[in-house]
Each structure stands twice: as C-alpha cells, then as structure tokens.
Amino acid sequence: MSNKILVLGATGTVGRHVVDGLLAKGETVRAASRSGKPIAGAEGVVFEYGRPETYGPAFEGVDRAHVLLASGYVDAKGLLLPIIEAAAERKAKVIFQSVFGVDADDSIPYRQVEIALEKSGTPYVILRPNWFADNFHNFWKAGIEHGQIAVPAADGKSSFIDARDIAASSVAALTSSAFDGKAFNLTGPQALSYEEAAAILSEATGKPIAYDAISDEAFIGILTGAGVPADYASFLASIFYPVRQGWTAVVTNDVETLTGKAPRSLKTYAADYAAALKA
Ligand SMILES: NC(=O)c1ccc[n+]([C@@H]2O[C@H](COP(=O)([O-])OP(=O)(O)OC[C@H]3O[C@@H](n4cnc5c(N)ncnc54)[C@H](OP(=O)(O)O)[C@@H]3O)[C@@H](O)[C@H]2O)c1
C-alpha cells in the first residue's frame, strides 16, 4: 500500500506550505511543477496542466493529492477534469483547492469540477478559500510600491485568508479521514474593506498605502498594460463582483474545525510579510 502524497503547484503560494506542512509531519511527498525539481525533502515530478502524458507519472504510487489550478488559467473545467479523472482512476484521495462561493451556482466551472469530484467515487475533501491575504505581496505589490491598492472592490469587505492557513487545512484533510466527503469554506477571522486592509498594511510597512476604488474597465486597463492577457484580466475583474455584493464578507470557523487553530489575522500576515511588501 502506497502512502505518498502528490502536491500540485508545489512551488506556489499555497502548495509550498502544503509541502512544508506534510514534511513536518513525516509524510512522503511528491512535489509537482513544470520543472520537476525536488523541493526541500520532497521528490520532484514534472507536471503540466493540459499535458495529460505528465499525469500518469505524477500519480504513480500516490494515494492522496492536493489538487489546484495555478493562477493565470481561465479554463478550470478543461484543465482540472482530466486531473480529477487521473486521480479517481487510481482511487487517490483528492483535496481540491476550489474557490469561495462557487457553491452558489452549479453552473460555475469550479463548482462543476467539485461536482465531478463528488461523483467520482474517490475519497475527497473540498476546500473553498476566500481571497488570499498573500495577493497583497503577490499581485498588488506593484501598486503598493507606489503607495496604492487599486482594485474594483468598492467598499465591499472580504475575510482575507493567509495561504499558510489554507495549507494547514489541506494538511489536516490529507492526514485524516475525519473530513472525507465534506466541503469547507475557508476564511480569515475578520471581514475587512480594502480601505481597512490598506491601513493595516501601511502600519506594518511604515509607509502610506491608500486604497483606490477603481472601475472594472480601469482595472482591466492597468492589468493588460502590465502584460496580463486580456481574458485573464477580465476574469480577475469579474471576481470582484461578489466582493462588491458583500458575499465575501462571510466569516466561518472551518479553518479551526480542520486544524484546531484559529486562522491568522491580516495584521499577523502583514507583520510576517512586511519585508516582502516593502521590497
Ligand atoms: N488568490 C486568491 O485570492 C484565491 C482565492 C480563492 C481561490 N483561489 C484559487 O487558488 C488557485 C491558485 O492557488 P495558488 O495561488 O496557490 O497557485 P499559484 O501560486 O498560482 O501556483 C503556482 C504553482 O503552479 C505551478 N504551475 C504554474 N503553471 C503551471 C502549469 N502550466 N503546469 C503545471 N504547474 C504549473 C507553478 O510551478 P512552476 O511554475 O514551477 O511550474 C507553481 O508551483 C486558483 O485555482 C485560484 O482560483 C485563489
């Protein structure tokens, strides 16, 4: 019986912490990325979305997997369904990193991937994280360098979650069967507007950061001007609609249910990542 865990996006925002958390628990980890390089104490494997010939070697001898679609890709169904199939064929348990709120409508592509997983017959846990705190140092960093966060969120609030808490939730789900067959809506401890978030980041970095509530069109213009493909820029703009509607302001206890610990606040995130936010 194999007991190896495959982590997709293993060098990415959530995946790197999943790898670390599993290794710390003494698990055997296979880290997937396009380069296939080993990471820390994990063996590496070449894996590429849309290249099914890489799925067999990646899932070979694996009994559990953290499955996600990397940022920058729009076709969630086209890219993820064959991966769910590859896992299910081998009866590997899937922890699927989905998206907060997609259970509102079964026609949403990420929800359709969840439904396929639910029907696949393989053990699974669905994690639906809210907006990542880490976006501030990953995606909004260029603006922060100029003292500004410019997004089309109006005064909508989000319970930002630290990627380390998403990863810890996945590690809990990967290393216990207690959560199998369930879905969890992962949030941080508090709903904050982007204005409130900007104030927290200003305090942590010691430099003034303002929030500019721009339109979808202005946002798409900034992103495409920075080289983001037009379809992905439009997709990113569209996911601020739920923020403006107040749907991302929900706070749940699901991180604590999975990990036994309360999720980190944005203040803690900002203090821990102050150097990255300022660099
Ligand atoms: N950001 C948010 O606020 C948010 C909120 C809720 C849900 N989500 C969801 O979370 C997911 C993204 O998670 P994340 O931010 O942890 O991922 P991420 O950091 O964007 O993932 C990057 C990782 O994926 C790998 N990768 C990139 N392109 C690849 C390709 N073509 N084939 C194989 N591997 C590839 C990268 O490795 P190499 O480059 O080394 O190949 C790297 O390990 C998305 O599904 C998103 O919808 C995000």
Side-chain angles (χ1 to χ4, degrees):
M1 174 75 184
S2 130
N3 58 356
K4 191 174 283 188
I5 305 178
L6 176 68
V7 179
L8 301 191
T11 56
T13 304
V14 174
R16 75 182 64 186
H17 298 298
V18 176
V19 171
D20 287 349
L22 290 171
L23 291 174
K25 283 196 136 191
E27 297 285 346
T28 306
V29 180
R30 180 177 289 160
S33 67
R34 282 168 294 184
S35 73
K37 285 194 187 134
I39 305 175
E43 70 177 58
V45 70
V46 172
F47 179 92
E48 191 164 343
Y49 301 108
R51 280 186 58 211
E53 67 273 23
T54 64
Y55 305 168
F59 277 100
E60 179 64 41
V62 158
D63 67 343
R64 289 158 287 164
H66 178 95
V67 171
L68 60 77
L69 182 61
S71 312
Y73 299 90
V74 178
D75 183 13
K77 264 175 76 179
L79 294 172
L80 286 168
L81 288 178
I83 299 171
I84 300 293
E85 241 171 67
E89 268 169 26
R90 294 160 179 85
K91 291 274 173 262
K93 169 167 150 178
V94 172
I95 309 306
F96 175 45
Q97 183 181 318
S98 183
V99 179
F100 193 79
V102 299
D103 49 327
D105 181 344
D106 281 356
S107 73
I108 295 172
Y110 271 93
R111 176 62 193 141
Q112 294 197 359
V113 176
E114 291 183 358
I115 291 169
L117 178 59
E118 288 163 2
K119 290 184 175 163
S120 69
T122 209
Y124 71 88
V125 177
I126 293 167
L127 302 179
R128 299 189 192 111
N130 206 344
W131 284 87
F132 298 1
D134 305 62
N135 293 343
F136 290 110
H137 71 271
N138 286 334
F139 298 138
W140 317 135
K141 170 102 177 291
I144 288 174
E145 270 166 25
H146 295 101
Q148 201 175 59
I149 299 166
V151 292
D155 56 2
K157 295 191 177 201
S158 302
S159 49
F160 299 101
I161 180 164
D162 192 306
R164 293 172 293 183
D165 291 319
I166 303 168
S169 300
S170 178
V171 169
L174 283 162
T175 55
S176 162
S177 55
F179 310 110
D180 288 8
K182 295 183 181 147
F184 296 89
N185 300 316
L186 305 180
T187 76
Q190 190 187 11
L192 297 163
S193 67
Y194 277 82
E195 188 158 0
E196 291 166 327
I200 289 169
L201 299 179
S202 295
E203 198 182 323
T205 58
K207 65 181 229 178
I209 300 166
Y211 167 51
D212 189 4
I214 57 174
S215 67
D216 279 5
E217 292 68 31
F219 181 66
I220 291 168
I222 292 170
L223 293 180
T224 51
V228 175
D231 63 339
Y232 193 62
S234 296
F235 166 74
L236 288 178
S238 75
I239 59 179
F240 279 96
Y241 177 75
V243 180
R244 295 194 295 271
Q245 294 302 309
W247 300 339
T248 58
V250 175
V251 172
T252 73
N253 288 325
D254 287 6
V255 168
E256 191 157 359
T257 301
L258 285 154
T259 68
K261 278 191 193 162
R264 293 166 176 85
S265 65
L266 191 72
K267 211 170 167 178
T268 299
Y269 156 80
D272 291 350
Y273 286 91
L277 287 159
K278 276 194 283 196

